[in-house]
Amino acid sequence: MKFLCQIWFDTEKSKLVPQSEWDALTQECIVSDNRWRDSGHLQAAFALHDPSMAITVRLRNGEVAATDGPFAEIKEHLGGFVLIEAENIEEAKTIASSFPILRYSSIEVRPAYSIQDGK
């Protein structure tokens, strides 16, 4: 089964983390990702740029509109995601629990499926 691990940051608290801590954490995450990739569990892992760099695209009354920034103001922002392969949600939770980024974030683990075949 595939599971999407969404990495959520408290927007205000994450701004207070010194760059040197982010740099050290990045190195830890690279090592962790490589270990899970080598074991066949990690399918993809991506960090996301700050929400201020986003655009939101909408289709309303047949017209496409794009606006700068995220769709809504929220206390937390999506900072990245990891797609993993696991036997079940318990194994997925165990894998996500080992991610070093968890010290600075929360991780939502959600089963994923292909819309083409429903699996």
Side-chain angles (χ1 to χ4, degrees), residues 19-109:
Q19 188 60 49
S20 59
E21 283 186 42
W22 283 125
D23 293 344
L25 178 65
T26 296
Q27 293 308 308
E28 285 183 66
C29 290
I30 290 169
V31 170
S32 174
D33 287 357
N34 286 339
R35 181 170 56 94
W36 287 112
R37 189 176 290 110
D38 291 346
S39 74
H41 290 91
L42 190 141
Q43 306 293 305
F46 288 95
L48 299 174
H49 286 282
D50 188 83
S52 65
M53 297 183 70
I55 62 167
T56 299
V57 180
R58 297 178 184 87
L59 179 64
R60 300 291 182 264
N61 300 320
E63 297 289 322
V64 174
T67 55
D68 290 340
F71 179 72
E73 293 289 326
I74 55 175
K75 184 179 177 191
E76 293 183 316
H77 68 274
L78 183 62
F81 63 91
V82 179
L83 182 64
I84 60 175
E85 182 79 29
E87 289 295 318
N88 53 47
I89 198 157
E90 285 303 314
E91 182 182 29
K93 180 178 80 172
T94 298
I95 293 168
S97 297
S98 76
F99 294 160
I101 196 70
L102 190 57
R103 292 194 308 268
Y104 296 87
S105 66
S106 60
I107 300 175
E108 177 183 324
V109 179

